[in-house]
Amino acid sequence: MKQNTKQSYFVTGGAGFIGSHLVETLVSEGYRVTVYDNLCSGKKQNIERHIGKPNFNFVQADILNLPVLQEKMKGHDVVWHLAANTDIPTGNRVTDLDLNNCTVGTRNVLEAMRLNKISEILFASSATVYGDTPPIALSESMGPLLPISLYGAGKLACEGLISAYSHLYGIRACMFRFGNVVGGNMAHGVIFDFIHKLRKNPKELEILGDGKQEKNFFMVEDCIAGMRWAFQKSSKPYDVFNLGCESSVTVKEIGRIVAEEMGLKDVKQVFTGGARGWPGDAPYVRFDVNKMKQLGWVSSHTSPEAVRIAAQRLIKTT
Ligand code: NAD
């Protein structure tokens, strides 16, 4: 990525949790930024402070509306594609939610890029593309990829579409399989849920599953820095990276950290049982991050540290 203040970025999903952190960084560095978001899970207040700045533009619209998307994308240099359904359990029940908001939406983003001759994209994929794997560190070369949620299936379909558009139309693409991204402004996820549950009942915490689910958690600032780093350093026309940290943390431990940060003692953890939190939840996600390491990047916090920092921020602001 050229460090050029005239470069302009089109951020789909820019009013969401990760998107708004990204936008904060890019706008403050003087880049021209357009946020394109339908606010289905994002919030206007996440980006409100930028409205009126000469290098910022907000479009409230849907990526499923291709004519509007194509028109608004015109004249940008790079697309950061973050818009998607992010409610995984609902996506498993409403079976066209991920098909539309993830797969068809991504095809529209690529089509708008092709029609506007925009040739660079960064894409927010997910560890869910790996599916239900044995307890080993997952590397990008693992396969076959057999997702177990419609969200994961959607992300895998998007990776395929991006790869094909990249090959056919000369679009340079960096795809990132995120672990669990945490930080302030989060409006969903296990830390957010635990804080709200413990506010309602400070004596007892209900944990979905057996609490032994073990996953990779990393800071939103690391997520953005890692994407930018790989986009700058990677020389391939299209590539995919695990983005997260090497360590992991159990859901039971997250419950303990959140309670501790809320100043609560002797919280009884009550488990709903079973290995998964919900149908389609992969109980074990640990990353092999060597590909990012070879580019010279590692995350700045371990998973337990990231969970603690995110809990501290959320307790203050929610
Ligand atoms: P988020 O829900 O806060 O952000 C998603 C944004 O996309 C929201 O602002 C929403 O309003 C917007 N959006 C959704 N559908 C849209 C549509 N059809 N048209 C226009 N805008 C639409 O979630 P997030 O955590 O910030 O996630 C950002 C991206 O990162 C998503 O693609 C998500 O799948 C991916 N991801 C996130 C995590 C994580 O741990 N947060 C992990 C893996 C992948």
Side-chain angles (χ1 to χ4, degrees):
M1 196 184 338
K2 281 183 296 174
Q3 290 298 312
N4 172 354
T5 49
K6 289 201 180 109
Q7 202 159 34
S8 61
Y9 297 125
F10 190 81
V11 185
T12 72
F17 160 53
I18 301 172
S20 59
H21 282 85
L22 169 69
V23 166
E24 182 71 42
T25 307
L26 298 178
V27 169
S28 69
E29 290 180 13
Y31 291 100
R32 288 194 295 128
V33 176
T34 295
V35 165
Y36 187 99
D37 198 305
N38 68 357
L39 300 182
C40 70
S41 60
K43 293 190 200 117
K44 199 167 175 189
Q45 76 200 51
N46 285 343
I47 49 163
E48 208 140 44
R49 62 192 162 284
H50 305 303
I51 292 172
K53 290 182 185 171
N55 61 336
F56 181 77
N57 183 27
F58 172 52
V59 180
Q60 183 175 348
D62 203 300
I63 53 172
L64 291 172
N65 189 338
L66 181 54
V68 172
L69 182 65
Q70 184 188 339
E71 175 60 28
K72 299 296 179 185
M73 200 188 275
K74 221 175 257 172
H76 292 80
D77 300 307
V78 179
V79 174
W80 296 73
H81 177 33
L82 279 76
N85 166 54
T86 51
D87 181 346
I88 301 179
T90 301
N92 288 336
R93 287 193 305 274
V94 182
T95 53
D96 60 357
L97 191 60
D98 290 294
L99 177 70
N100 289 326
N101 289 284
C102 190
T103 311
V104 176
T106 297
R107 178 266 172 187
N108 285 353
V109 167
L110 291 162
E111 193 57 12
M113 289 179 70
R114 182 180 76 85
L115 296 167
N116 283 313
K117 300 191 171 24
I118 298 170
S119 61
E120 295 190 295
I121 184 170
L122 298 94
F123 173 64
S125 187
S126 154
T128 56
V129 298
Y130 289 110
D132 208 2
T133 59
I136 52 163
L138 308 166
S139 90
E140 295 86 343
S141 57
M142 245 186 81
L145 296 179
L146 301 168
I148 58 166
S149 61
L150 291 175
Y151 171 89
K155 289 292 185 191
L156 187 55
C158 293
E159 288 189 11
L161 284 167
I162 293 170
S163 164
Y165 265 80
S166 173
H167 180 80
L168 294 170
Y169 304 114
I171 292 174
R172 185 166 94 86
C174 277
M175 299 176 269
F176 299 92
R177 293 176 182 161
F178 297 166
N180 287 277
V181 187
V182 296
N185 286 3
M186 269 194 300
H188 55 88
V190 62
I191 304 172
F192 178 88
D193 288 346
F194 282 178
I195 292 171
H196 288 271
K197 281 181 177 176
L198 285 169
R199 282 198 178 132
K200 272 195 197 137
N201 183 357
K203 294 198 179 335
E204 194 174 287
L205 177 63
E206 183 203 57
I207 296 183
L208 302 181
D210 60 9
K212 293 181 187 153
Q213 307 97 302
E214 188 180 330
K215 305 199 186 190
N216 174 330
F217 285 77
F218 75 122
M219 294 304 303
V220 64
E221 289 83 359
D222 277 337
C223 176
I224 290 156
M227 288 176 90
R228 298 182 82 189
W229 183 273
F231 195 57
Q232 224 168 35
K233 304 283 176 189
S234 153
S235 52
K236 294 198 180 154
Y238 49 102
D239 210 349
V240 61
F241 300 91
N242 283 341
L243 195 59
C245 61
E246 230 160 6
S247 57
S248 53
V249 61
T250 62
V251 175
K252 199 174 158 53
E253 178 64 4
I254 295 172
R256 200 193 58 73
I257 295 172
V258 171
E260 197 175 289
E261 287 303 324
M262 291 175 78
L264 302 173
K265 284 197 182 116
D266 304 322
V267 174
K268 185 176 172 212
Q269 297 191 339
V270 178
F271 303 96
T272 60
R276 304 172 201 282
W278 55 87
D281 176 36
Y284 186 92
V285 182
R286 195 178 253 248
F287 271 172
D288 174 338
V289 291
N290 280 319
K291 202 162 163 183
M292 284 298 293
K293 267 193 190 165
Q294 277 158 16
L295 288 183
W297 188 86
V298 284
S299 70
S300 60
H301 295 283
T302 63
S303 285
E305 285 168 0
V307 167
R308 190 173 291 282
I309 296 167
Q312 288 165 352
R313 289 184 191 169
L314 282 176
I315 291 163
K316 261 193 221 143
T317 56
T318 57

